[in-house]
Amino acid sequence: MMQIKSMAVLATVLISAMPVQQVHERALIDLRMEETCPDSVYEVDFTKTFGESIRKECRTKLKQLTDIPNFYEENESEPKQQFTLDYDNSCPIGLESTNGCDRNPDARLCTDGTSPYLLVIRYSGGDSDGQIFTSRLVCPEDNVEVPENVVREIKITPEHFRRFPILGSTIHSDPKQFSLRNGHSHMWATENEQTFTDQIDNTPVTIKAIPVQWNWDYGDGSVRILDFPGRLVPGHTLHDETPTSHSYVQTGTFTVTLTTIYRGEFRVGNGPWQPIGGQAAVPSSPIEVDVWRTKKELIANE
């Protein structure tokens, strides 16, 4: 956070460039600034105003102090500080399948099950060009303010990525939507990488949505987060436990839901693929599983 503690600092800078005959008048103004603009008025929260000149905070009061009309206006033509935005998943392309890259088990998850992305705001131009102004972890539910003076670049933001019509995975079960109490109902999902095209500033952009995580809710209070979708297991029976099977301990009808987490990549024209910050959480159509119980009876031979 950047704060400007005194209007006297601003006046001192202006004085250095003034003709000698104006120095005395400006010095008198400088002496009266403290009582005219209390600290609560001229301290600026830079993360909120993103570089708005402190001159505007006390414009009315200071014009009443002087008959020099250009006290504020003489520097109004100064260009505003510009910024660039970066969206970082900390998973460079080529390392996305590395253990722990897609998801840090110790990191907090967003309310939709996705992992937060890192929003990095950098200075663009000036003495601080390329340096980080601020950064923070962001979830879809967060309300984040960004600077107004952002340099326009061809990028896919996390919000833009989530607006593409990404399809959820299809849920399969064996036996089909049926199980026995304490049996191993085998479930798996499809793994569909999807591609989209878009135009940004009349430039073609290609986007890929790549599934990386499957969040299961079996409807009986049990949930699982897996980094693989499972697969069909030929010859499976309810006696066979699999990496994606689930065992119900009660009878009844249970609604199984699944949310697939997608990461994204994009490229401009035929350029290299670039990672998209953030993830998209896409729900699947749920299925219902009927769970029955078995009863053993002794039948005598006549």
Side-chain angles (χ1 to χ4, degrees), residues 76 91-92 98 157 163 175 221 253:
E76 289 295 326
C91 287
T98 303
T157 67
R163 288 198 295 266
T253 299

Side-chain angles (χ1 to χ4, degrees), residues 4 13 48 52 110 207 218 224 276:
I4 300 177
V13 174
K48 181 179 180 181
E52 282 295 320
C110 304
I207 300 92
Y218 299 104
R224 293 177 77 184
I276 298 173

Side-chain angles (χ1 to χ4, degrees), residues 69-112:
N70 294 326
F71 181 75
Y72 292 101
E73 286 76 4
E74 62 185 53
N75 286 326
E76 289 295 326
S77 61
E78 293 179 358
K80 293 183 178 180
Q81 175 66 58
Q82 292 185 309
F83 301 88
T84 59
L85 306 183
D86 290 324
Y87 309 91
D88 185 16
N89 270 343
S90 299
C91 287
I93 294 177
L95 297 178
E96 60 273 0
S97 60
T98 303
N99 187 28
C101 183
D102 289 324
R103 177 174 178 270
N104 179 358
D106 298 324
R108 72 178 180 95
L109 293 180
C110 304
T111 55
D112 64 355

Side-chain angles (χ1 to χ4, degrees), residues 250-276:
Q250 300 291 334
T251 59
T253 299
F254 301 91
T255 301
V256 179
T257 60
L258 173 66
T259 300
T260 305
I261 308 299
Y262 289 84
R263 67 174 182 85
E265 297 178 7
F266 77 100
R267 69 176 180 181
V268 180
N270 294 320
W273 289 101
Q274 304 176 56
I276 298 173

Side-chain angles (χ1 to χ4, degrees), residues 183-197:
H184 298 289
S185 180
H186 177 53
M187 301 185 195
W188 73 99
T190 55
E191 183 177 10
N192 296 324
E193 180 178 309
Q194 299 164 54
T195 302
F196 307 93
T197 57

Side-chain angles (χ1 to χ4, degrees), residues 173-187 218 220 236-241 245-254 288-296:
S173 66
D174 184 15
K176 185 176 181 179
Q177 298 181 241
F178 171 79
S179 187
L180 294 177
R181 187 178 64 177
N182 297 320
H184 298 289
S185 180
H186 177 53
M187 301 185 195
Y218 299 104
D220 61 348
H236 170 266
T237 72
L238 289 172
H239 297 289
D240 304 323
E241 184 176 4
S245 63
H246 181 67
S247 181
Y248 291 92
V249 298
Q250 300 291 334
T251 59
T253 299
F254 301 91
E288 290 189 341
V289 176
D290 291 322
V291 181
W292 294 14
R293 67 183 180 90
T294 58
K295 182 178 180 181
K296 295 181 180 180

